[in-house]
Amino acid sequence: MFAVDLRPLLPALIVAVTALVVLLAQAFTPKGSRSPSMGLTATGLAGALLLSLTMAADARYGRGASTGGTYVADDFALFFHVLLIGLALMATLLSPAYYRENGGERGEYYTLMLFSLVGMLGLVSTTEMISMFVALEIMSVALYALAGTRRDQIESQESALKYFVTGAFASAFLLFGMALLYGLSGSTQLARVARGVAEAGPEQLPLAVLGCGMLIVGFGFKVASVPFHMWTPDVYEGAPTTVTALMAAGVKAAAFGGFLRVFLGSLSGRLPDGTYFSAEWIPALAALAAITMVIGNLGALAQSNLKRMLAFSSVAHAGYLMSGMVGQSEAAGQAVLFYLVAYGAVNMGTFGLLASLSKGGREPLSLQDVAGLGERRPALAAALTVFLISLTGVPISAGFVGKFYLFGAAVNAGYTSLAIVGVLMSVVSAFYYLRVVVAMYMREGEGEDAWAVPEASARLSLLVAVVVTLGLGVWPAPVLDLARAAALAL
Amino acid sequence: MTGSLVQHAVLLSVVLFTLGALGVFLRRNVITIFMCIELMLNAVNLAFVAFSRSLGTFDGQVLVFFVMTVAAAEAAVGLAIVIALHRHRDTLDVDAFNLLKW
C-alpha cells in the first residue's frame, strides 16, 4: 500500500487552520463586541509550538519523517519551526496594544500573519523546488498585504507597493534560477539537482552557474543583502511596526533557512574534476557579504529615523550572516542558525518595544522621541539597551557569541579579510546603536510623558526577548548544540 | 530537431525575461511595471515547458501550473494595493510615491 506520512506537515496545518478559525470567528462575532482574534491566534501558535517541540524530541513523533520526499521534518526544519513559531507568537502578543493605539485592529491581520507563517514553515522544510516556490510566495503575498494593513496611512500603502514590486521581481529571478537548474538536472528535487550539478560536464557548467547566480539574486532580495536591499528601509519604515518586527526577525530567518538548504545542502557537491561546485559561488557570496556589511552600516549611520536605522542594521546583519555562510562547513551552518535565533529575538524585542511605546497614533521614531526614557521607564530603557548592545555584539549578549562563531567560520574557510571587515563594521555600528542609549539616559525628555504603558502580553513578549538575548550570551551551549545538530541534517 | 527547438525556446525565454526586467526599471507606471513582472514570470514558464519537453519529465509542466496560480494570487493582492494607494494619491506614477526616502 502506498501511504504518505503527513506528520511533517502537521505544525503548518495547525497554523493554517488557526488562520481560518480566526477569520471565521470574526465573521460570527456579533456587531459591537470584539472577536477573540488574538487569543485564538496565540492558542493555535502555542499548540503548533508544542507539537514542533514534541516532534523534535523523538523519532516516534515524527522527527526525521518525510512527506513523499518533498517535505521533511529533519532537525534543520524543526529547529526553524520552533524559532519561527516562537517569533510569530511574540509578534502576536505585541500586536493588540499597538493596533489599539494606532487604529485598525482587525482579525485579518492575525490571519495574514498566520498564513505568512505557513509559508515560512514550508520554506524551511521543503526539499523540492515547486514546494519551495509556493511556500516562498505564500509567505510573501501575505506580507505584502500585511505591510499595507494601515489603510488610512499613505506610508503604509506605499511600503506595501514597494515591497510587492520588488518581491515579485525577486521571485521571477528565483524562478528563472530554478528553471535553469531543472533544465540541467531534469528534476525539481533538490537532491537530484545536487546530483545533476555534480555530474555537469564543462558545457553544462555555465548553465549551473547562471542558475546559481539567479538564485542568489532571488534569495538576496529576500534576506535584504546589498545590492538588492533598496526596498528594505522604505518597507520597514512604512509598514506597521509589529509587521516590521515579523519581517525583520521571521522572514529573514525563513529566507536564510531556504538559502542554506539550497546552497549548503544541494549546491556544494564535488564535480567530476575533483573541485567543489561551491567554489563557483562562494567568492560571489563573500563579495556580497562584504559590501552588504559596509553599505548596511554606513547607511545606518546616516539615519535619524529609528525604524530606518534598524532597517539598515538588518541589511548589515544579512551581511554578517552571509559571511558566516561562506564557511560552508557544519560549523558555518551552526553559526548562522545560532545567530538567527539571537538576531530574531533581539529584533522582535527592539521593534516590539518601539511598537508598544506608541500612543495615540504617535510612535517614537526619532532620538528625541526616546530621550528621557531611562528616567521615566527604567525597565523598558534597560531592555532596549540590552537589545542594542546585542546588535552591536558586546560580550555577555547573544550578539557577541553569534558574531564570534560567524566570523570564526569565515576565518576557518580562509576568508580572514571578510572577518576583519565584519569586526570593523561592528565597531562602526556601535556608534549608531549607542547613540540611542545615550539619548535615553543622558538627554532630558521634553514636555510630558508621551509613551504608552505596555500591557501585560507585550511585557511578556519583551521579557522573553531579553531573557533569550542575555541567556544565549551567558550560556549559549544548549542552543549551539541544537544548531549543530540542525546544520548536520542538511 | 527537438534539440534546436528547445534551444530556440530557451533563448526566446531569456529575451522575454530580459525585456521584462528592463521594463521594471524603465517604466514609471505601476500597472505597466506589474505587467513587466508578469512577462518575466511567463518567460520562466516558457523555459520550464521547453526543458520539460527536451528532458521528457513532467515536473516542469506541473511547475508552470503552480506559477500561473501563484501569479494570479499575486495579481489580486498587487492590484488591491494599487487601488488602495490610488485612493490616497490620484496617480499611478511611481515617482509620485516618494514619501519614504532619506
Side-chain angles (χ1 to χ4, degrees):
Chain A
M1 204 187 84
F2 179 67
V4 178
D5 188 353
L6 289 175
R7 284 175 302 172
L9 289 164
L10 271 181
L13 279 178
I14 290 183
V15 176
V17 169
T18 311
L20 296 176
V21 169
V22 170
L23 208 53
L24 281 176
Q26 208 199 5
F28 285 102
T29 306
K31 256 202 164 66
S33 55
R34 294 163 50 85
S35 104
S37 311
M38 188 273 213
L40 286 173
T41 309
T43 315
L45 286 175
L49 185 64
L50 212 60
L51 180 72
S52 307
L53 287 170
T54 319
M55 282 168 74
D58 197 280
R60 271 179 307 159
Y61 306 124
R63 179 182 181 185
S66 147
T67 307
T70 62
Y71 197 99
V72 295
D74 56 8
D75 284 348
F76 184 81
L78 289 172
F79 183 90
F80 272 103
H81 268 62
V82 174
L83 170 62
L84 293 169
I85 298 173
L87 287 173
L89 195 52
M90 288 166 78
T92 306
L93 293 177
L94 287 164
S95 299
Y98 178 76
Y99 275 86
R100 198 166 318 127
E101 290 297 330
N102 295 286
E105 191 195 6
R106 296 189 206 83
E108 316 71 293
Y109 165 76
Y110 296 101
T111 304
L112 286 169
M113 204 163 83
L114 290 166
F115 279 142
S116 175
L117 178 64
V118 172
M120 295 181 206
L121 296 178
L123 185 56
V124 297
S125 312
T126 176
T127 56
E128 194 264 351
M129 291 196 294
I130 301 179
S131 328
M132 183 167 273
F133 171 69
V134 173
L136 187 86
E137 289 297 307
I138 293 174
M139 169 182 96
S140 306
V141 171
L143 275 173
Y144 304 150
L146 268 179
T149 32
R150 291 185 65 183
R151 258 184 270 169
D152 53 318
Q153 252 198 352
I154 187 164
E155 287 87 356
S156 172
Q157 302 306 321
E158 196 178 308
S159 100
L161 180 79
K162 286 181 173 167
Y163 197 25
F164 167 70
V165 170
T166 49
F169 186 67
S171 302
F173 270 91
L174 196 80
L175 209 52
F176 205 86
M178 287 178 176
L180 293 176
L181 291 180
Y182 167 69
L184 180 83
S185 62
S187 172
T188 54
Q189 294 278 352
L190 286 178
R192 297 238 195 108
V193 169
R195 214 178 311 146
V197 168
E199 287 162 3
E203 72 280 3
Q204 285 168 315
L205 206 56
L207 203 61
V209 173
L210 191 63
C212 241
M214 292 276 202
L215 285 180
I216 288 185
V217 173
F219 280 116
F221 265 103
K222 296 289 169 196
V223 303
S225 94
V226 176
F228 320 113
H229 71 293
M230 312 79 71
W231 58 274
T232 320
D234 291 358
V235 172
Y236 279 28
E237 183 189 349
T241 310
T242 47
V243 175
T244 311
L246 190 70
M247 276 182 204
V251 174
K252 182 156 298 203
F256 261 105
F259 204 172
L260 288 177
R261 203 186 273 283
V262 173
F263 279 81
L264 293 192
S266 304
L267 296 178
S268 40
R270 189 195 282 264
L271 295 173
D273 59 4
T275 57
Y276 285 90
F277 182 66
S278 50
E280 306 279 348
W281 53 266
I282 286 284
L285 195 69
L288 281 183
I291 55 167
T292 303
M293 288 189 285
V294 172
I295 301 221
N297 281 306
L298 295 185
L301 270 182
Q303 301 305 320
S304 54
N305 179 312
L306 290 182
K307 270 167 98 177
R308 263 185 113 70
M309 182 270 270
L310 288 167
F312 273 103
S313 131
S314 147
V315 173
H317 280 80
Y320 301 140
L321 285 158
M322 279 160 70
S323 61
M325 241 178 105
V326 165
Q328 320 171 46
S329 55
E330 291 93 49
Q334 173 195 30
V336 173
L337 292 185
F338 178 84
Y339 201 71
L340 283 172
V341 178
Y343 175 79
V346 166
N347 255 301
M348 188 53 74
T350 318
F351 282 113
L353 205 143
L354 291 181
S356 52
L357 281 176
S358 71
K359 188 175 180 183
R362 215 177 135 272
E363 290 181 51
L365 290 179
S366 69
L367 285 178
Q368 195 52 48
D369 289 342
V370 295
L373 194 71
E375 198 181 331
R376 292 174 184 169
R377 297 274 199 288
L380 288 178
L384 191 52
T385 309
V386 168
F387 299 144
L388 291 170
I389 63 169
S390 178
L391 284 169
T392 319
V394 174
I396 78 142
S397 67
F400 170 75
V401 183
K403 275 185 185 163
F404 180 79
Y405 278 89
L406 282 178
F407 296 146
V411 169
N412 283 338
Y415 282 91
T416 315
S417 51
L418 203 55
I420 293 174
V421 173
V423 172
L424 281 180
M425 282 299 136
S426 299
V427 174
V428 171
S429 77
F431 178 72
Y432 58 82
Y433 290 130
L434 297 183
R435 200 160 55 178
V436 180
V437 177
V438 169
M440 283 195 300
Y441 285 98
M442 313 254 176
R443 264 204 244 168
E444 290 289 316
E446 276 172 18
E448 58 188 302
D449 192 329
W451 305 297
V453 180
E455 57 182 63
S457 67
R459 282 206 299 268
L460 174 67
S461 186
L462 295 176
L463 183 69
V464 171
V466 171
V467 169
V468 172
T469 309
L470 288 180
L472 291 186
V474 179
W475 193 41
V479 177
L480 276 172
D481 289 345
L482 289 172
R484 183 168 193 85
L488 279 171
L490 269 184
Chain B
M1 177 64 195
T2 335
S4 79
L5 185 70
V6 168
Q7 275 175 10
H8 289 143
V10 173
L11 199 64
L12 177 64
S13 105
V14 171
V15 170
L16 287 175
F17 189 86
T18 317
L19 281 178
L22 284 177
V24 172
F25 285 112
L26 299 177
R27 292 309 190 119
R28 304 267 49 102
N29 183 297
V30 176
I31 302 288
T32 319
I33 290 179
F34 186 47
M35 282 161 65
C36 290
I37 292 174
E38 292 290 315
L39 183 64
M40 291 166 76
L41 288 177
N42 282 312
V44 178
N45 282 347
L46 181 62
F48 268 115
V49 173
F51 282 131
S52 186
R53 189 180 159 86
S54 81
L55 294 161
T57 59
F58 281 104
D59 305 27
Q61 316 238 12
V62 173
L63 214 157
V64 168
F65 280 109
F66 280 95
V67 174
M68 289 195 294
T69 318
V70 165
E74 216 169 43
V77 172
L79 291 177
I81 292 171
V82 171
I83 289 170
L85 199 53
H86 193 258
R87 285 208 182 115
H88 284 279
R89 218 21 100 74
D90 248 346
T91 174
L92 289 177
D93 188 338
V94 279
D95 293 331
F97 306 135
N98 54 3
L99 280 174
L100 303 166
K101 65 177 173 197
W102 54 344

